[in-house]
Amino acid sequence: MNLKKSLILLFSIICTFATLAKAEKPWAHGALRVSDNGMYLCHTDGAPFFWLGDTGWLLPERLDRDEAAFYLHRLSEADYNVVQVQTINAVPAINAYGQLSHLNGWDFTAIDRPGEYGYWDHMDYIISTAEQNGIYVGMVCIWGGLVKAGLMDVEQARAYGRFLAERYRQRPNIVWIIGGDIEGSVKTEVWDTLAETIRELDPEHLMTYHPRGRTTSAKWFNSRQWLDFNMFQSGHRRYGQRMGNKQYPIPDDTEEDSWMYVDSARVRGPLKPVLDGEPSYEDIPQGLHSDAEPHWSARDVRRYAWWSVFAGSCGHTYGHNAIMQFVRPGIKGAYFADGTVTPWWKALDAPGFNQMKHLKRLMLTLPYMDRIADQSIILNNGNRYDRLIATRGNDYALVYNHTGRHMQLDLSSITGKEKNIWWMDAATGCISYIGKTGNHIDFKPASDADGVLIAIDSHCKYITPSTSSLSPSPTIIDSSLLVE
């Protein structure tokens, strides 16, 4: 056993004991559901759920038990609460133990063999380990390209959906994801059959659809009963990278405007929550297809996250080129990921991976369900990277500034004659108190680093002038109780 493997094994054993003693899991508040206002996710007891996902597409196929335990614990440490996986990435899929997902085609009646640790036993283990770490598994049932190629038809989708639902409907930490990087207009009848079969047997777990790049599930499935919330894929292209597409689904030069997908989903009825299930990945080439192009940085992935959430998303999914396909030394993955240069376990130390938690913590430190997008707060907005984006509740407002540019803001839409003002560094999560202001603010951050201006009614004590960082498990208190 090599040194890396030994360290991961030791760490996974330590993590197992640490996890058992960890604080209550999210599902202690009940199953996930859509909030009463149709905009967010919450639990049955009303506790808010902010989706912070990692893209772990090939986890079931590439990692063994010890590696999976190590990875899932690192997710938990970094405050992620969802991992999106490809349940099968081939027909049959093959995992780290050489086990096949399909032993008799789409007939799963004898899939579990006595004395054998099979493909689905390993999937069971991953889901159980994720549960111990307080993480939901977003199960993309089958990758879209496989369905497009005709490897699963309607009847096979019905058999597969029945198998998945019967096996996992009792697990507390499942979210069903239909599709998989594909337009909903391709084999629509297969996707509907798969979704409806699962939903009939498992009405409790939430369900969404992962679409093709630069599209949203709302375009095809917003009115479907089985679709609880929408997902879009803002994709991996920079401004102006049309790349010869004859049929381009978005206006030219809007490729990085992740906020526009939230707006486009919101105009459709009925109103459903929405989030970015695949933005630009950290350390992946811009446009995907040439390693000579610049790679997306931590600052880029932060922008995608803050823009999307402040536009009204119910959460966000991060991705890293090395992690999503779990490359390692000797393996060169897709999109120029080199496991010798950056193996997946080294990528867990990437700055963007560890900075997403600051967004989640801020969202859950403030009253959550009354939050709306409100660009009327911004009096001097810019374009592209200079575009400020604002969100607010009844007694607080937040404005994300990607370039550190000068801001002129009107805070009259939130309560309080006086507001306390802070600046939060988006990279570090460090919070600095600025002082008190009235309804209008003219402010230039001290540097060009991206960050968030936080304005709160001075009567409210969600955070205080002495606050320097936010808790991983904030307690949301009714604002009516927070009066001086």
Side-chain angles (χ1 to χ4, degrees):
M1 182 180 292
N2 60 37
L3 178 60
K4 185 274 295 186
K5 187 71 173 179
S6 299
L7 290 173
I8 287 180
L9 175 58
L10 175 61
F11 190 82
S12 68
I13 293 171
I14 295 171
C15 292
T16 298
F17 288 103
T19 300
L20 291 175
K22 202 174 178 181
E24 68 176 11
K25 306 300 185 290
W27 36 88
H29 294 278
L32 289 180
R33 66 175 180 88
V34 174
S35 63
D36 292 340
N37 63 13
M39 297 173 60
Y40 302 113
L41 302 179
C42 63
H43 296 275
T44 52
D45 70 354
F49 178 78
F50 182 86
W51 174 298
L52 185 59
D54 184 38
T55 310
W57 291 137
L58 296 184
L59 166 60
E61 293 83 11
R62 291 269 173 93
L63 300 193
D64 64 23
R65 289 169 64 97
D66 298 327
E67 292 168 330
F70 173 79
Y71 166 65
L72 291 167
H73 183 76
R74 286 294 302 270
L75 286 189
S76 179
E77 282 190 324
D79 247 15
Y80 291 90
N81 53 18
V82 181
V83 59
Q84 295 173 195
V85 305
Q86 289 185 24
T87 306
I88 55 173
N89 72 331
V91 181
I94 305 173
N95 68 15
Y97 297 98
Q99 295 293 326
L100 305 182
S101 60
H102 295 63
L103 298 177
N104 188 26
W106 294 96
D107 180 359
F108 295 97
T109 54
I111 196 69
D112 295 316
R113 296 182 174 182
E116 183 176 290
Y117 185 70
Y119 186 95
W120 296 100
D121 295 307
H122 190 48
M123 183 68 70
D124 298 345
Y125 170 80
I126 288 170
I127 294 170
S128 295
T129 306
E131 179 182 351
Q132 292 171 5
N133 283 278
I135 294 172
Y136 288 87
V137 180
M139 296 183 69
V140 178
C141 304
I142 179 172
W143 204 240
L146 304 176
V147 173
K148 184 176 182 179
L151 297 179
M152 186 177 78
D153 61 24
V154 167
E155 289 307 311
Q156 292 165 338
R158 187 170 288 112
Y160 184 44
R162 186 178 304 112
F163 164 71
L164 289 175
E166 289 176 346
R167 193 174 188 102
Y168 297 118
R169 62 187 171 188
Q170 300 301 323
R171 299 297 188 107
N173 60 323
I174 296 295
V175 176
W176 299 112
I177 304 179
I178 310 301
D181 196 24
I182 192 167
E183 298 92 337
S185 56
V186 177
K187 305 284 187 178
T188 307
E189 68 283 3
V190 175
W191 301 122
D192 276 329
T193 299
L194 178 62
E196 290 165 0
T197 301
I198 294 173
R199 175 49 53 88
E200 182 180 0
L201 295 169
D202 178 15
E204 299 301 320
H205 291 110
L206 293 182
M207 184 178 288
T208 187
Y209 184 95
H210 178 267
R212 186 73 171 166
R214 298 165 302 284
T215 66
T216 168
S217 61
K219 179 178 180 180
W220 303 284
F221 300 115
N222 191 71
S223 62
R224 296 293 203 274
Q225 291 294 316
W226 55 260
L227 188 110
D228 295 301
F229 65 98
N230 281 300
M231 184 175 279
F232 62 90
Q233 181 186 163
S234 57
H236 307 275
R237 296 185 187 180
R238 69 170 179 267
Y239 288 124
Q241 275 190 323
R242 182 183 177 95
M243 303 181 73
N245 288 109
K246 294 180 180 179
Q247 294 182 334
Y248 204 57
I250 60 173
D252 289 348
D253 300 319
T254 63
E255 289 82 357
E256 297 181 54
D257 292 340
S258 60
W259 48 267
M260 71 179 177
Y261 296 96
V262 184
D263 293 348
S264 67
R266 285 284 167 80
V267 300
R268 300 175 185 269
L271 179 64
K272 294 184 176 182
V274 60
L275 63 85
D276 194 347
E278 187 174 334
S280 294
Y281 293 158
E282 191 167 8
D283 199 29
I284 203 168
Q286 296 176 6
L288 298 182
H289 302 301
S290 171
D291 201 29
E293 297 286 353
H295 287 213
W296 293 110
S297 69
R299 185 165 181 162
D300 295 315
V301 300
R302 293 197 303 271
R303 172 172 52 85
Y304 271 88
W306 290 93
W307 269 3
S308 173
V309 170
F310 279 24
S313 289
C314 64
H316 188 72
T317 298
Y318 162 89
H320 190 288
N321 195 22
I323 298 171
M324 66 98 172
Q325 52 191 320
F326 296 98
V327 294
R328 64 188 69 220
I331 295 179
K332 289 190 175 182
Y335 312 116
F336 312 98
D338 189 337
T340 301
V341 176
T342 307
W344 66 266
W345 55 87
K346 182 178 179 180
L348 294 174
D349 295 321
F353 175 88
N354 292 286
Q355 292 163 353
M356 294 295 107
K357 61 179 176 284
H358 305 311
L359 171 59
K360 177 188 173 189
R361 291 177 183 182
L362 180 59
M363 291 298 97
L364 293 179
T365 296
L366 302 165
Y368 189 73
M369 295 302 175
D370 64 352
R371 182 176 69 87
I372 62 171
D374 188 354
Q375 290 297 91
S376 70
I377 291 172
I378 300 162
L379 301 180
N380 65 332
N381 217 342
N383 298 313
R384 291 193 176 186
Y385 302 134
D386 279 334
R387 186 180 192 270
L388 305 175
I389 191 162
T391 187
R392 68 169 178 85
N394 293 325
D395 47 23
Y396 69 89
L398 309 171
V399 181
Y400 175 72
N401 185 334
H402 180 63
T403 60
R405 60 176 288 252
H406 169 246
M407 297 187 286
Q408 292 178 318
L409 308 175
D410 178 359
L411 302 175
S412 59
S413 56
I414 66 173
T415 62
K417 289 184 178 181
E418 282 191 322
K419 283 83 174 175
N420 282 315
I421 305 296
W422 296 259
W423 179 255
M424 176 177 177
D425 187 301
T428 66
C430 292
I431 295 175
S432 303
Y433 183 63
I434 299 170
K436 282 182 165 50
T437 186
N439 283 334
H440 292 84
I441 183 169
D442 196 303
F443 178 72
K444 172 67 174 70
S447 74
D448 62 0
D450 63 318
V452 182
L453 183 128
I454 303 169
I456 301 177
D457 183 333
S458 62
H459 290 92
C460 302
K461 306 301 179 187
Y462 307 126
I463 59 178
T464 68
S466 63
T467 299
S468 59
S469 62
L470 298 177
S471 166
S473 301
T475 300
I476 307 301
I477 303 173
D478 188 324
S479 60
S480 66
L481 303 177
L482 299 173
V483 178
E484 291 178 340

